[in-house]
Amino acid sequence: MGFKGYRRPDGRVGTRNDVGILSTVVCANEVADAISSQVRGTACFMHQQGCCQTPVDIRRVNDTLSGLGRNPNLAAVLLVSLGCESTAVEEVARRIGDTGKRVETVVIQETGGAARSIAEGVLAAQGMVQEASRWERVSCGIDELVLGLKCGSSDTTSGLAPNPALGIASDRVVEGGGTSILGEVTEFIGAEHLLARHAENPKIGQQILDLVKRMEERAKSVGADIRGGQPTGGNIKGGLTTIEEKSLGAIAKAGTAPVRAVYEYGVAPSVKGLVVMDSPGREPEILTGLAAAGCNVIAFTTGRGAPQGFPFVPVVKITGNRRTWEKLRDHMDLDVSAVMEGAETLPEAGHRIFQEILEVASGKLTKAEISGYTKAMDIYMVGPVI
Amino acid sequence: MKTDAIVIKEVDNVATALRDIQPGEEATVGMGETVKRVRIQGAIPYGHKFAVYDIVRGEDVLKYGEVIGRATENIPIGTHAHIQNIESLRGRGDLTSGGH
């Protein structure tokens, strides 16, 4: 069992074969978007960062853009730079090029404005797409899957059907030798000691606890306590009794595999199996972080219906809410609401999710890819804009 | 088959109602591949939990195969299990070390 993917020069496997148009700074977004809109086969990544930030965050922009460019779902990369930004554009180009893929850069201030840069970028991207079109899918094992886990716009159904079912699918990926990445550290709160217990060793367990503490400290530093009033009145009315129960519903999507490592935001895992990555829960930042870490497919559970995908990583939307499935058909890929009705077991739903992940990895398009609902992305920053 | 409630992991001692269940009803509870029948003692709203075994005061309450809290009184089988008879263990020093 496996899927058909694109085996890249660095040995990693892509599930898509896009040419990435990556903006290196917020000021270059318009040009990157214009280039991409004129060249079929490209995927554009835009964000709000890259200038007037602390060195910590600029380093993160460099690392994240490098990680995105290195993602095996991209056959080649065109960087679109303004010219005066803080982002280390040459370093990013070199780090992407180290994978063996073609990288070119258009610099707006050198080329002479948006119009000329768009023309130059379109020509470069056309050539890259033509080259990329020669790649063929080959048979790949489950061990080549790097699955990102995410839940958003959750409701009562999330912790009962889609999350535990995704956990079963994630366990299948890990059993097959693949990688599964759990982010959303904010949603570990209240269940971190339980997640830490699933760590492969006490050191990794402590790293998980430290990660949660750091996330709490970040919230406290602006005078807020994210743990206050949890579970909320609405949660209690919906049947959630304790904060442990609420967070367990969220981390259920990671299944039962041991946590093998803990990584900073956007860092590509050097081990296989289930790993934890520092990230907030908000969609633009976590989806970018998972893509930068090398995820070639992302599974995203939702209750009320979160709409977005990611420009070049397929995001499979799974809901356990029948109403959301019926009302948001243009955003949802898989319906597991039969579990909520007692008509399907969790193992059956988990199996369907696993099969869908394999089909999507082999090329089946997700709704977010078809609709192109992928533009509002960003990079997770820790400091202020200065 | 369609069931009235679901148990996430077989070790769990509470089930979650998949519809509003009335007192006196015999609810069907899906536990993985098997189905258990439980006589309901009080009204259980959709999304709420009830005991699928007799839970004694002080016993851990299990959902997802994990401890979600502790029973503050006896919770007989079929009884609503919620904030009136379960307390959070959050903040207990012996449970936040992560090593037990």
Side-chain angles (χ1 to χ4, degrees), chain A residues 159 190 192-194 197-198 209 227 236-242 244-245 248-249 340-342 345, chain B residues 1-3 6 8-9 16 18 32 46-49 63-64 66 68 82-83 88-90 95 97 100:
Chain A
E192 67 267 42
H193 53 296
L194 299 164
R197 215 172 61 195
H198 286 293
L209 297 177
R227 219 164 48 186
I236 291 170
K237 205 176 167 197
L240 289 173
T241 306
T242 62
E244 294 98 309
E245 182 183 9
L248 279 165
M340 291 304 300
E341 291 150 11
T345 66
Chain B
M1 70 173 271
K2 266 175 108 93
T3 56
I6 185 174
I8 307 279
K9 287 279 165 67
T16 305
L18 300 173
Y46 167 80
H48 285 232
K49 297 176 292 299
K63 182 184 172 186
Y64 299 109
E66 300 283 358
I68 61 160
H82 201 19
I83 51 172
S88 171
L89 300 180
R90 180 67 202 193
L95 286 178
S97 65
H100 74 110

mmCIF file of all heavy atoms in Angstrom, chain A residues 159 190 192-194 197-198 209 227 236-242 244-245 248-249 340-342 345, chain B residues 1-3 6 8-9 16 18 32 46-49 63-64 66 68 82-83 88-90 95 97 100:
data_model
loop_
_atom_site.group_PDB
_atom_site.id
_atom_site.type_symbol
_atom_site.label_atom_id
_atom_site.label_comp_id
_atom_site.label_asym_id
_atom_site.label_seq_id
_atom_site.Cartn_x
_atom_site.Cartn_y
_atom_site.Cartn_z
ATOM 1 N N GLY A 159 -14.214 16.574 18.917
ATOM 2 C CA GLY A 159 -13.512 15.638 19.779
ATOM 3 C C GLY A 159 -14.112 14.247 19.780
ATOM 4 O O GLY A 159 -13.518 13.311 20.304
ATOM 5 N N GLY A 190 -3.873 21.860 29.499
ATOM 6 C CA GLY A 190 -4.840 21.059 30.252
ATOM 7 C C GLY A 190 -4.665 19.581 29.997
ATOM 8 O O GLY A 190 -5.141 18.756 30.763
ATOM 9 N N GLU A 192 -1.428 18.606 28.651
ATOM 10 C CA GLU A 192 -0.005 18.477 28.327
ATOM 11 C C GLU A 192 0.663 17.338 29.096
ATOM 12 O O GLU A 192 1.541 16.666 28.574
ATOM 13 C CB GLU A 192 0.741 19.797 28.532
ATOM 14 C CG GLU A 192 0.864 20.278 29.963
ATOM 15 C CD GLU A 192 -0.266 21.231 30.333
ATOM 16 O OE1 GLU A 192 -1.420 20.963 29.955
ATOM 17 O OE2 GLU A 192 0.015 22.233 31.010
ATOM 18 N N HIS A 193 0.224 17.123 30.353
ATOM 19 C CA HIS A 193 0.841 16.037 31.124
ATOM 20 C C HIS A 193 0.496 14.679 30.524
ATOM 21 O O HIS A 193 1.275 13.737 30.603
ATOM 22 C CB HIS A 193 0.426 16.111 32.592
ATOM 23 C CG HIS A 193 -1.054 16.172 32.801
ATOM 24 N ND1 HIS A 193 -1.815 17.222 32.348
ATOM 25 C CD2 HIS A 193 -1.909 15.301 33.389
ATOM 26 C CE1 HIS A 193 -3.091 17.003 32.669
ATOM 27 N NE2 HIS A 193 -3.177 15.844 33.287
ATOM 28 N N LEU A 194 -0.695 14.610 29.894
ATOM 29 C CA LEU A 194 -1.097 13.353 29.255
ATOM 30 C C LEU A 194 -0.331 13.147 27.954
ATOM 31 O O LEU A 194 0.100 12.050 27.629
ATOM 32 C CB LEU A 194 -2.605 13.368 29.002
ATOM 33 C CG LEU A 194 -3.421 13.506 30.295
ATOM 34 C CD1 LEU A 194 -4.843 13.911 29.995
ATOM 35 C CD2 LEU A 194 -3.372 12.217 31.078
ATOM 36 N N ARG A 197 3.110 12.140 28.653
ATOM 37 C CA ARG A 197 3.194 10.716 29.008
ATOM 38 C C ARG A 197 3.350 9.843 27.767
ATOM 39 O O ARG A 197 3.842 8.724 27.842
ATOM 40 C CB ARG A 197 1.928 10.328 29.773
ATOM 41 C CG ARG A 197 2.159 9.315 30.855
ATOM 42 C CD ARG A 197 0.912 9.139 31.676
ATOM 43 N NE ARG A 197 -0.210 8.650 30.875
ATOM 44 C CZ ARG A 197 -1.469 8.679 31.282
ATOM 45 N NH1 ARG A 197 -1.779 9.192 32.446
ATOM 46 N NH2 ARG A 197 -2.432 8.216 30.518
ATOM 47 N N HIS A 198 2.910 10.369 26.612
ATOM 48 C CA HIS A 198 3.073 9.618 25.362
ATOM 49 C C HIS A 198 4.434 9.857 24.723
ATOM 50 O O HIS A 198 4.706 9.374 23.632
ATOM 51 C CB HIS A 198 1.974 10.003 24.362
ATOM 52 C CG HIS A 198 0.639 9.438 24.706
ATOM 53 N ND1 HIS A 198 0.368 8.096 24.668
ATOM 54 C CD2 HIS A 198 -0.508 10.023 25.118
ATOM 55 C CE1 HIS A 198 -0.885 7.885 25.034
ATOM 56 N NE2 HIS A 198 -1.435 9.045 25.327
ATOM 57 N N LEU A 209 6.215 19.816 27.918
ATOM 58 C CA LEU A 209 5.738 20.658 29.025
ATOM 59 C C LEU A 209 6.318 22.070 28.911
ATOM 60 O O LEU A 209 5.614 23.061 29.137
ATOM 61 C CB LEU A 209 6.127 20.033 30.371
ATOM 62 C CG LEU A 209 5.503 18.664 30.667
ATOM 63 C CD1 LEU A 209 6.031 18.115 31.990
ATOM 64 C CD2 LEU A 209 3.988 18.750 30.719
ATOM 65 N N ARG A 227 -5.914 30.489 30.080
ATOM 66 C CA ARG A 227 -6.504 29.325 30.725
ATOM 67 C C ARG A 227 -7.707 29.690 31.582
ATOM 68 O O ARG A 227 -8.412 28.833 32.077
ATOM 69 C CB ARG A 227 -5.442 28.616 31.571
ATOM 70 C CG ARG A 227 -5.547 27.124 31.499
ATOM 71 C CD ARG A 227 -4.301 26.465 31.997
ATOM 72 N NE ARG A 227 -3.842 26.987 33.272
ATOM 73 C CZ ARG A 227 -2.711 26.630 33.846
ATOM 74 N NH1 ARG A 227 -1.912 25.795 33.245
ATOM 75 N NH2 ARG A 227 -2.354 27.136 35.006
ATOM 76 N N ILE A 236 -19.409 23.819 28.676
ATOM 77 C CA ILE A 236 -20.098 23.047 29.726
ATOM 78 C C ILE A 236 -21.529 22.738 29.294
ATOM 79 O O ILE A 236 -22.007 21.620 29.435
ATOM 80 C CB ILE A 236 -20.065 23.816 31.067
ATOM 81 C CG1 ILE A 236 -18.612 23.848 31.604
ATOM 82 C CG2 ILE A 236 -21.004 23.174 32.091
ATOM 83 C CD1 ILE A 236 -18.390 24.756 32.787
ATOM 84 N N LYS A 237 -22.166 23.725 28.706
ATOM 85 C CA LYS A 237 -23.533 23.524 28.205
ATOM 86 C C LYS A 237 -23.557 22.437 27.130
ATOM 87 O O LYS A 237 -24.492 21.657 27.015
ATOM 88 C CB LYS A 237 -24.059 24.845 27.635
ATOM 89 C CG LYS A 237 -25.560 24.939 27.639
ATOM 90 C CD LYS A 237 -26.030 26.306 27.167
ATOM 91 C CE LYS A 237 -27.517 26.263 26.872
ATOM 92 N NZ LYS A 237 -27.942 27.388 26.048
ATOM 93 N N GLY A 238 -22.485 22.401 26.337
ATOM 94 C CA GLY A 238 -22.379 21.404 25.273
ATOM 95 C C GLY A 238 -21.997 20.027 25.778
ATOM 96 O O GLY A 238 -21.970 19.072 25.010
ATOM 97 N N GLY A 239 -21.637 19.931 27.077
ATOM 98 C CA GLY A 239 -21.353 18.619 27.648
ATOM 99 C C GLY A 239 -19.910 18.397 28.067
ATOM 100 O O GLY A 239 -19.577 17.351 28.618
ATOM 101 N N LEU A 240 -19.017 19.382 27.812
ATOM 102 C CA LEU A 240 -17.623 19.231 28.234
ATOM 103 C C LEU A 240 -17.526 19.582 29.719
ATOM 104 O O LEU A 240 -17.986 20.635 30.146
ATOM 105 C CB LEU A 240 -16.700 20.132 27.407
ATOM 106 C CG LEU A 240 -16.502 19.708 25.952
ATOM 107 C CD1 LEU A 240 -15.710 20.762 25.193
ATOM 108 C CD2 LEU A 240 -15.800 18.362 25.869
ATOM 109 N N THR A 241 -16.895 18.684 30.485
ATOM 110 C CA THR A 241 -16.896 18.820 31.938
ATOM 111 C C THR A 241 -15.634 19.497 32.468
ATOM 112 O O THR A 241 -15.695 20.346 33.345
ATOM 113 C CB THR A 241 -17.060 17.430 32.589
ATOM 114 O OG1 THR A 241 -18.232 16.818 32.040
ATOM 115 C CG2 THR A 241 -17.197 17.529 34.103
ATOM 116 N N THR A 242 -14.464 19.106 31.942
ATOM 117 C CA THR A 242 -13.185 19.621 32.458
ATOM 118 C C THR A 242 -12.282 20.060 31.308
ATOM 119 O O THR A 242 -12.485 19.667 30.155
ATOM 120 C CB THR A 242 -12.434 18.537 33.271
ATOM 121 O OG1 THR A 242 -12.135 17.448 32.394
ATOM 122 C CG2 THR A 242 -13.255 18.051 34.454
ATOM 123 N N GLU A 244 -9.284 19.106 30.927
ATOM 124 C CA GLU A 244 -8.598 17.900 30.432
ATOM 125 C C GLU A 244 -9.387 17.299 29.264
ATOM 126 O O GLU A 244 -8.835 16.926 28.228
ATOM 127 C CB GLU A 244 -8.477 16.836 31.536
ATOM 128 C CG GLU A 244 -7.592 17.201 32.702
ATOM 129 C CD GLU A 244 -8.383 17.727 33.891
ATOM 130 O OE1 GLU A 244 -9.205 18.657 33.685
ATOM 131 O OE2 GLU A 244 -8.195 17.227 35.011
ATOM 132 N N GLU A 245 -10.710 17.205 29.464
ATOM 133 C CA GLU A 245 -11.573 16.599 28.447
ATOM 134 C C GLU A 245 -11.527 17.405 27.151
ATOM 135 O O GLU A 245 -11.422 16.840 26.056
ATOM 136 C CB GLU A 245 -13.009 16.533 28.973
ATOM 137 C CG GLU A 245 -13.978 15.871 27.992
ATOM 138 C CD GLU A 245 -15.411 15.876 28.512
ATOM 139 O OE1 GLU A 245 -15.691 16.532 29.540
ATOM 140 O OE2 GLU A 245 -16.252 15.219 27.879
ATOM 141 N N LEU A 248 -8.107 16.987 25.491
ATOM 142 C CA LEU A 248 -7.976 15.614 24.976
ATOM 143 C C LEU A 248 -8.696 15.457 23.650
ATOM 144 O O LEU A 248 -8.235 14.748 22.761
ATOM 145 C CB LEU A 248 -8.520 14.610 25.993
ATOM 146 C CG LEU A 248 -7.562 14.263 27.123
ATOM 147 C CD1 LEU A 248 -8.311 13.572 28.249
ATOM 148 C CD2 LEU A 248 -6.428 13.390 26.607
ATOM 149 N N GLY A 249 -9.824 16.133 23.526
ATOM 150 C CA GLY A 249 -10.560 16.096 22.261
ATOM 151 C C GLY A 249 -9.727 16.658 21.129
ATOM 152 O O GLY A 249 -9.793 16.194 19.989
ATOM 153 N N MET A 340 -21.169 10.337 14.482
ATOM 154 C CA MET A 340 -22.007 11.067 15.441
ATOM 155 C C MET A 340 -23.396 10.465 15.521
ATOM 156 O O MET A 340 -24.082 10.611 16.525
ATOM 157 C CB MET A 340 -22.137 12.536 15.032
ATOM 158 C CG MET A 340 -20.879 13.345 15.155
ATOM 159 S SD MET A 340 -20.186 13.306 16.829
ATOM 160 C CE MET A 340 -21.521 13.986 17.784
ATOM 161 N N GLU A 341 -23.806 9.807 14.446
ATOM 162 C CA GLU A 341 -25.143 9.198 14.429
ATOM 163 C C GLU A 341 -25.083 7.733 14.843
ATOM 164 O O GLU A 341 -26.104 7.042 14.848
ATOM 165 C CB GLU A 341 -25.738 9.332 13.016
ATOM 166 C CG GLU A 341 -26.085 10.776 12.671
ATOM 167 C CD GLU A 341 -25.981 11.079 11.181
ATOM 168 O OE1 GLU A 341 -25.849 10.127 10.389
ATOM 169 O OE2 GLU A 341 -26.019 12.269 10.816
ATOM 170 N N GLY A 342 -23.883 7.273 15.179
ATOM 171 C CA GLY A 342 -23.734 5.886 15.595
ATOM 172 C C GLY A 342 -23.810 4.904 14.444
ATOM 173 O O GLY A 342 -23.879 3.698 14.641
ATOM 174 N N THR A 345 -18.344 3.215 12.840
ATOM 175 C CA THR A 345 -17.436 3.168 13.989
ATOM 176 C C THR A 345 -16.229 4.067 13.720
ATOM 177 O O THR A 345 -15.933 4.414 12.569
ATOM 178 C CB THR A 345 -16.920 1.734 14.246
ATOM 179 O OG1 THR A 345 -16.096 1.338 13.137
ATOM 180 C CG2 THR A 345 -18.084 0.754 14.414
ATOM 181 N N MET B 1 -24.608 -0.410 12.978
ATOM 182 C CA MET B 1 -25.955 0.044 13.332
ATOM 183 C C MET B 1 -25.909 1.408 14.004
ATOM 184 O O MET B 1 -24.891 1.807 14.551
ATOM 185 C CB MET B 1 -26.650 -0.977 14.254
ATOM 186 C CG MET B 1 -26.067 -1.053 15.662
ATOM 187 S SD MET B 1 -27.017 -2.112 16.796
ATOM 188 C CE MET B 1 -28.207 -0.975 17.474
ATOM 189 N N LYS B 2 -27.027 2.104 13.970
ATOM 190 C CA LYS B 2 -27.109 3.403 14.647
ATOM 191 C C LYS B 2 -27.188 3.187 16.156
ATOM 192 O O LYS B 2 -27.959 2.356 16.619
ATOM 193 C CB LYS B 2 -28.380 4.136 14.178
ATOM 194 C CG LYS B 2 -28.141 5.083 13.031
ATOM 195 C CD LYS B 2 -29.457 5.664 12.545
ATOM 196 C CE LYS B 2 -29.566 7.124 12.933
ATOM 197 N NZ LYS B 2 -29.095 8.060 11.930
ATOM 198 N N THR B 3 -26.385 3.939 16.899
ATOM 199 C CA THR B 3 -26.436 3.832 18.353
ATOM 200 C C THR B 3 -26.815 5.190 18.954
ATOM 201 O O THR B 3 -26.742 6.210 18.293
ATOM 202 C CB THR B 3 -25.081 3.376 18.928
ATOM 203 O OG1 THR B 3 -24.063 4.274 18.491
ATOM 204 C CG2 THR B 3 -24.732 1.975 18.480
ATOM 205 N N ILE B 6 -21.816 6.941 22.277
ATOM 206 C CA ILE B 6 -20.539 6.387 21.825
ATOM 207 C C ILE B 6 -19.525 6.397 22.959
ATOM 208 O O ILE B 6 -19.461 7.342 23.752
ATOM 209 C CB ILE B 6 -20.008 7.186 20.601
ATOM 210 C CG1 ILE B 6 -18.734 6.561 20.040
ATOM 211 C CG2 ILE B 6 -19.783 8.647 20.944
ATOM 212 C CD1 ILE B 6 -18.253 7.210 18.751
ATOM 213 N N ILE B 8 -15.463 6.232 23.327
ATOM 214 C CA ILE B 8 -14.326 6.463 22.427
ATOM 215 C C ILE B 8 -13.301 5.321 22.527
ATOM 216 O O ILE B 8 -12.896 4.759 21.520
ATOM 217 C CB ILE B 8 -13.626 7.802 22.748
ATOM 218 C CG1 ILE B 8 -14.641 8.955 22.772
ATOM 219 C CG2 ILE B 8 -12.494 8.075 21.758
ATOM 220 C CD1 ILE B 8 -15.032 9.529 21.453
ATOM 221 N N LYS B 9 -12.893 4.989 23.739
ATOM 222 C CA LYS B 9 -11.949 3.876 23.959
ATOM 223 C C LYS B 9 -12.600 2.855 24.888
ATOM 224 O O LYS B 9 -13.371 3.236 25.780
ATOM 225 C CB LYS B 9 -10.643 4.394 24.592
ATOM 226 C CG LYS B 9 -9.747 5.185 23.625
ATOM 227 C CD LYS B 9 -8.921 4.262 22.742
ATOM 228 C CE LYS B 9 -8.310 4.984 21.555
ATOM 229 N NZ LYS B 9 -7.300 5.956 21.949
ATOM 230 N N THR B 16 -20.713 9.206 25.479
ATOM 231 C CA THR B 16 -21.272 10.506 25.097
ATOM 232 C C THR B 16 -22.544 10.287 24.288
ATOM 233 O O THR B 16 -22.553 9.501 23.334
ATOM 234 C CB THR B 16 -20.249 11.301 24.262
ATOM 235 O OG1 THR B 16 -19.034 11.386 25.012
ATOM 236 C CG2 THR B 16 -20.762 12.704 23.957
ATOM 237 N N LEU B 18 -25.382 10.744 21.631
ATOM 238 C CA LEU B 18 -25.431 11.230 20.248
ATOM 239 C C LEU B 18 -26.811 11.819 19.923
ATOM 240 O O LEU B 18 -27.071 12.237 18.808
ATOM 241 C CB LEU B 18 -25.092 10.087 19.289
ATOM 242 C CG LEU B 18 -23.702 9.469 19.504
ATOM 243 C CD1 LEU B 18 -23.519 8.237 18.618
ATOM 244 C CD2 LEU B 18 -22.600 10.476 19.235
ATOM 245 N N GLY B 32 -16.468 0.630 20.106
ATOM 246 C CA GLY B 32 -15.668 0.001 19.057
ATOM 247 C C GLY B 32 -16.576 -0.838 18.179
ATOM 248 O O GLY B 32 -17.536 -0.328 17.610
ATOM 249 N N TYR B 46 -27.896 15.850 24.306
ATOM 250 C CA TYR B 46 -26.942 15.590 23.211
ATOM 251 C C TYR B 46 -25.565 16.142 23.579
ATOM 252 O O TYR B 46 -25.447 17.266 24.041
ATOM 253 C CB TYR B 46 -27.464 16.264 21.939
ATOM 254 C CG TYR B 46 -26.470 16.358 20.795
ATOM 255 C CD1 TYR B 46 -26.234 15.261 19.969
ATOM 256 C CD2 TYR B 46 -25.766 17.539 20.541
ATOM 257 C CE1 TYR B 46 -25.347 15.342 18.919
ATOM 258 C CE2 TYR B 46 -24.866 17.629 19.497
ATOM 259 C CZ TYR B 46 -24.656 16.523 18.686
ATOM 260 O OH TYR B 46 -23.764 16.612 17.650
ATOM 261 N N GLY B 47 -24.528 15.331 23.394
ATOM 262 C CA GLY B 47 -23.155 15.788 23.663
ATOM 263 C C GLY B 47 -22.721 15.606 25.108
ATOM 264 O O GLY B 47 -21.556 15.805 25.422
ATOM 265 N N HIS B 48 -23.671 15.235 25.993
ATOM 266 C CA HIS B 48 -23.317 15.031 27.404
ATOM 267 C C HIS B 48 -22.966 13.566 27.666
ATOM 268 O O HIS B 48 -23.211 12.696 26.833
ATOM 269 C CB HIS B 48 -24.477 15.477 28.295
ATOM 270 C CG HIS B 48 -24.600 16.977 28.402
ATOM 271 N ND1 HIS B 48 -24.675 17.638 29.597
ATOM 272 C CD2 HIS B 48 -24.646 17.944 27.442
ATOM 273 C CE1 HIS B 48 -24.766 18.949 29.392
ATOM 274 N NE2 HIS B 48 -24.767 19.159 28.079
ATOM 275 N N LYS B 49 -22.402 13.325 28.851
ATOM 276 C CA LYS B 49 -21.888 11.993 29.179
ATOM 277 C C LYS B 49 -22.749 11.297 30.246
ATOM 278 O O LYS B 49 -23.401 11.953 31.050
ATOM 279 C CB LYS B 49 -20.454 12.120 29.736
ATOM 280 C CG LYS B 49 -19.447 12.684 28.743
ATOM 281 C CD LYS B 49 -18.087 12.874 29.369
ATOM 282 C CE LYS B 49 -18.040 13.957 30.412
ATOM 283 N NZ LYS B 49 -18.382 15.297 29.936
ATOM 284 N N LYS B 63 -12.223 9.028 29.594
ATOM 285 C CA LYS B 63 -12.734 9.246 28.238
ATOM 286 C C LYS B 63 -11.501 9.368 27.356
ATOM 287 O O LYS B 63 -10.485 9.895 27.817
ATOM 288 C CB LYS B 63 -13.591 10.514 28.199
ATOM 289 C CG LYS B 63 -14.220 10.795 26.838
ATOM 290 C CD LYS B 63 -14.988 12.118 26.844
ATOM 291 C CE LYS B 63 -15.441 12.504 25.448
ATOM 292 N NZ LYS B 63 -16.062 13.841 25.423
ATOM 293 N N TYR B 64 -11.566 8.957 26.112
ATOM 294 C CA TYR B 64 -10.388 8.898 25.233
ATOM 295 C C TYR B 64 -9.328 7.958 25.820
ATOM 296 O O TYR B 64 -8.153 8.073 25.508
ATOM 297 C CB TYR B 64 -9.744 10.280 25.047
ATOM 298 C CG TYR B 64 -10.642 11.307 24.418
ATOM 299 C CD1 TYR B 64 -11.141 12.361 25.166
ATOM 300 C CD2 TYR B 64 -10.982 11.232 23.073
ATOM 301 C CE1 TYR B 64 -11.964 13.319 24.599
ATOM 302 C CE2 TYR B 64 -11.802 12.185 22.497
ATOM 303 C CZ TYR B 64 -12.294 13.235 23.266
ATOM 304 O OH TYR B 64 -13.095 14.177 22.697
ATOM 305 N N GLU B 66 -8.253 8.202 28.712
ATOM 306 C CA GLU B 66 -7.450 9.038 29.610
ATOM 307 C C GLU B 66 -8.322 9.572 30.744
ATOM 308 O O GLU B 66 -9.549 9.585 30.652
ATOM 309 C CB GLU B 66 -6.861 10.236 28.840
ATOM 310 C CG GLU B 66 -5.958 9.884 27.672
ATOM 311 C CD GLU B 66 -4.571 9.440 28.097
ATOM 312 O OE1 GLU B 66 -4.281 9.429 29.309
ATOM 313 O OE2 GLU B 66 -3.773 9.104 27.203
ATOM 314 N N ILE B 68 -10.151 12.242 32.643
ATOM 315 C CA ILE B 68 -10.646 13.608 32.406
ATOM 316 C C ILE B 68 -11.072 14.272 33.714
ATOM 317 O O ILE B 68 -11.469 15.429 33.729
ATOM 318 C CB ILE B 68 -11.833 13.631 31.411
ATOM 319 C CG1 ILE B 68 -13.016 12.827 31.956
ATOM 320 C CG2 ILE B 68 -11.404 13.123 30.035
ATOM 321 C CD1 ILE B 68 -14.344 13.204 31.301
ATOM 322 N N HIS B 82 -21.267 14.747 34.844
ATOM 323 C CA HIS B 82 -20.901 16.113 34.421
ATOM 324 C C HIS B 82 -20.365 16.892 35.626
ATOM 325 O O HIS B 82 -19.939 16.279 36.616
ATOM 326 C CB HIS B 82 -22.131 16.781 33.786
ATOM 327 C CG HIS B 82 -21.816 17.939 32.871
ATOM 328 N ND1 HIS B 82 -20.573 18.146 32.309
ATOM 329 C CD2 HIS B 82 -22.583 18.977 32.410
ATOM 330 C CE1 HIS B 82 -20.610 19.245 31.540
ATOM 331 N NE2 HIS B 82 -21.819 19.762 31.600
ATOM 332 N N ILE B 83 -20.409 18.218 35.557
ATOM 333 C CA ILE B 83 -19.766 19.034 36.596
ATOM 334 C C ILE B 83 -20.336 18.815 38.000
ATOM 335 O O ILE B 83 -19.662 19.102 38.978
ATOM 336 C CB ILE B 83 -19.839 20.545 36.242
ATOM 337 C CG1 ILE B 83 -21.273 20.973 35.900
ATOM 338 C CG2 ILE B 83 -18.914 20.868 35.074
ATOM 339 C CD1 ILE B 83 -21.434 22.479 35.724
ATOM 340 N N SER B 88 -12.176 18.467 38.044
ATOM 341 C CA SER B 88 -10.936 18.482 37.282
ATOM 342 C C SER B 88 -9.759 18.157 38.189
ATOM 343 O O SER B 88 -9.776 18.488 39.369
ATOM 344 C CB SER B 88 -10.749 19.868 36.659
ATOM 345 O OG SER B 88 -9.468 19.972 36.087
ATOM 346 N N LEU B 89 -8.758 17.502 37.651
ATOM 347 C CA LEU B 89 -7.546 17.219 38.428
ATOM 348 C C LEU B 89 -6.454 18.220 38.103
ATOM 349 O O LEU B 89 -5.340 18.135 38.570
ATOM 350 C CB LEU B 89 -7.044 15.799 38.133
ATOM 351 C CG LEU B 89 -8.034 14.686 38.462
ATOM 352 C CD1 LEU B 89 -7.430 13.331 38.137
ATOM 353 C CD2 LEU B 89 -8.417 14.753 39.938
ATOM 354 N N ARG B 90 -6.780 19.150 37.253
ATOM 355 C CA ARG B 90 -5.824 20.169 36.791
ATOM 356 C C ARG B 90 -5.260 20.959 37.973
ATOM 357 O O ARG B 90 -6.024 21.397 38.830
ATOM 358 C CB ARG B 90 -6.546 21.108 35.824
ATOM 359 C CG ARG B 90 -5.700 22.194 35.264
ATOM 360 C CD ARG B 90 -4.633 21.643 34.360
ATOM 361 N NE ARG B 90 -3.554 22.592 34.264
ATOM 362 C CZ ARG B 90 -2.592 22.522 33.365
ATOM 363 N NH1 ARG B 90 -2.594 21.547 32.494
ATOM 364 N NH2 ARG B 90 -1.634 23.399 33.349
ATOM 365 N N LEU B 95 0.342 15.545 39.428
ATOM 366 C CA LEU B 95 -0.041 15.193 38.053
ATOM 367 C C LEU B 95 0.570 16.125 37.017
ATOM 368 O O LEU B 95 0.501 15.862 35.832
ATOM 369 C CB LEU B 95 -1.566 15.224 37.906
ATOM 370 C CG LEU B 95 -2.293 14.058 38.556
ATOM 371 C CD1 LEU B 95 -3.783 14.226 38.394
ATOM 372 C CD2 LEU B 95 -1.829 12.725 37.997
ATOM 373 N N SER B 97 3.822 16.890 36.876
ATOM 374 C CA SER B 97 5.228 16.589 36.624
ATOM 375 C C SER B 97 5.398 15.866 35.309
ATOM 376 O O SER B 97 6.476 15.877 34.723
ATOM 377 C CB SER B 97 5.792 15.742 37.758
ATOM 378 O OG SER B 97 5.147 14.488 37.773
ATOM 379 N N HIS B 100 4.322 10.414 35.531
ATOM 380 C CA HIS B 100 3.701 9.273 36.206
ATOM 381 C C HIS B 100 3.123 8.269 35.244
ATOM 382 O O HIS B 100 2.998 8.550 34.048
ATOM 383 C CB HIS B 100 2.628 9.767 37.163
ATOM 384 C CG HIS B 100 1.401 10.241 36.473
ATOM 385 N ND1 HIS B 100 0.206 9.586 36.505
ATOM 386 C CD2 HIS B 100 1.203 11.314 35.683
ATOM 387 C CE1 HIS B 100 -0.679 10.251 35.782
ATOM 388 N NE2 HIS B 100 -0.099 11.293 35.266
#
